[in-house]
Amino acid sequence: MKYQKIVWLAALGTSAIAMPAFAVNGHYPPGIEGLSAAAAPPEGLYYRGYLLRYDVDNFNDGSGAAVPGDNSGTVTALAHRFIWMTDKQFLGADYGMETIIPMLDIEFDLDVAGGQSFKDDGIGDLFVGPVILGWHGAQWDATFAAGHWFDTADFDARNPASVGKGYGSTMLTLGGMWHFDQEKRWNVSALSRYEIKTEQDNTGITPGDSWLVEWGIGHRLANGLELGLVGYDAWQLEADEDAPTSDKAERHAVGAEAGYFWPTAGVMLKGAYYHEYDASAGGLKGLESEGNTVRLQLTKFL
């Protein structure tokens, strides 16, 4: 069925790229997946390219208040993700695996740090996910995935714009999607990530566990265009071990998304905009950015 392929293309949402600037003390950046993100694709090999621009409006402290001065920053990212869904099944689910190679360009201008500018660019920490499990029902889909962000990129504890995190993260994913009607024109979805970190290089700090939920409510028009409301909510669940403070990071945003599928070319293009309306810092970073994200996704059947 054509629409099933549209949903699966829209949904390759079992992982994403690493963003030191605005992940909640982890590798996974909120807002990378949106509508229909909790369904695994059918058997085959897929490529997805993520192009993202994040603009910082201000930096907040542990209470969520903006710090004084003219503080700004940008993150530009292009991530290459490859997904292979096999013809095997496990626990009644389709089985697959994935890998992600992120490329980052980060720049901060911080009055709060004495007017200093910080920059870095290069390949970020690599992700390998040996487990993707996808279940499919008549009007529902569910996904579980597990993988690890490896500490492979350059990290400098003195540079807040470092493309590397300086630690590894094991990430567990669980999500679901429900179609309100048999024609599958309306759907609601939620995709959650849980990250467990290792000790950071050179600092001796171990970031606390974090949890993030991306959600979406979408409607597919008769011409195939899908439109919807999207958002994310992220929390640091444990204080960073041996950090200067016991503050825990938090981040919330809402936005809109549009997507379209060209079946003859096996290509889907999606775009989204997110506005963050609340953010507070954790102990490891001391400050948390609050800003706006523009995201484009290109997905191709290989």
Side-chain angles (χ1 to χ4, degrees):
M1 182 178 179
K2 181 191 297 185
Y3 181 63
Q4 287 182 317
K5 291 186 177 180
I6 295 174
V7 170
W8 282 318
L9 262 179
L12 305 174
T14 51
S15 290
I17 56 181
M19 295 288 176
F22 66 111
V24 176
N25 94 315
H27 281 83
Y28 184 79
I32 289 299
E33 306 293 347
L35 297 177
S36 308
E43 178 184 348
L45 181 64
Y46 304 85
Y47 167 79
R48 170 167 280 182
Y50 299 85
L51 179 62
L52 182 144
R53 168 80 177 207
Y54 178 72
D55 291 294
V56 178
D57 288 337
N58 48 260
F59 286 89
N60 298 349
D61 59 20
S63 68
V67 297
D70 183 12
N71 304 292
S72 61
T74 60
V75 178
T76 303
L78 174 63
H80 307 282
R81 179 182 177 198
F82 298 91
I83 301 169
W84 178 36
M85 296 301 298
T86 72
D87 60 353
K88 309 298 182 183
Q89 286 200 331
F90 180 71
L91 299 177
D94 298 334
Y95 169 74
M97 58 192 73
E98 64 181 328
T99 189
I100 303 165
I101 306 169
M103 303 168 63
L104 304 167
D105 187 343
I106 304 171
E107 182 175 350
F108 296 142
D109 294 307
L110 302 176
D111 277 357
V112 72
Q116 295 186 68
S117 294
F118 300 91
K119 300 180 180 180
D120 197 12
D121 61 79
I123 297 176
D125 293 334
L126 302 181
F127 179 82
V128 177
V131 177
I132 300 174
L133 298 177
W135 294 266
H136 309 290
Q139 290 182 227
W140 62 269
D141 296 274
T143 299
F144 171 82
H148 190 79
W149 294 96
F150 288 90
D151 180 15
T152 57
D154 293 334
F155 170 71
D156 183 352
R158 300 165 298 178
N159 183 5
S162 287
V163 298
K165 288 285 194 178
Y167 58 83
S169 294
T170 296
M171 187 168 74
L172 305 176
T173 296
L174 182 64
M177 180 170 64
W178 173 259
H179 298 278
F180 293 106
D181 56 325
Q182 292 184 349
E183 293 77 20
K184 297 186 176 181
R185 292 190 179 275
W186 287 94
N187 69 79
V188 59
S189 62
L191 188 69
S192 65
R193 321 280 192 178
Y194 191 91
E195 287 192 66
I196 306 166
K197 296 91 176 181
T198 64
E199 183 179 300
Q200 188 177 51
D201 299 338
N202 303 323
T203 69
I205 296 174
T206 301
D209 293 358
S210 57
W211 183 53
L212 177 147
V213 178
E214 295 179 278
W215 54 266
I217 303 171
H219 176 58
R220 179 174 58 90
L221 304 178
N223 62 5
L225 180 67
E226 186 174 23
L227 304 172
L229 182 70
V230 292
Y232 56 78
D233 300 276
W235 302 268
Q236 181 181 345
L237 302 180
E238 300 177 330
D240 298 332
E241 185 179 337
D242 297 324
T245 75
S246 60
D247 293 336
K248 291 182 282 189
E250 192 170 326
R251 184 176 298 278
H252 306 276
V254 66
E257 181 174 303
Y260 191 79
F261 175 53
W262 288 267
T264 56
V267 170
M268 183 165 190
L269 183 64
K270 297 173 65 177
Y273 170 82
Y274 292 84
H275 170 68
E276 291 181 334
Y277 58 86
D278 185 34
S280 56
L284 177 63
K285 292 190 289 184
L287 296 176
E288 190 81 8
S289 61
E290 182 177 301
N292 303 293
T293 300
V294 176
R295 163 181 48 87
L296 293 176
Q297 299 174 1
L298 173 67
T299 305
K300 171 67 176 174
F301 287 97
L302 299 179

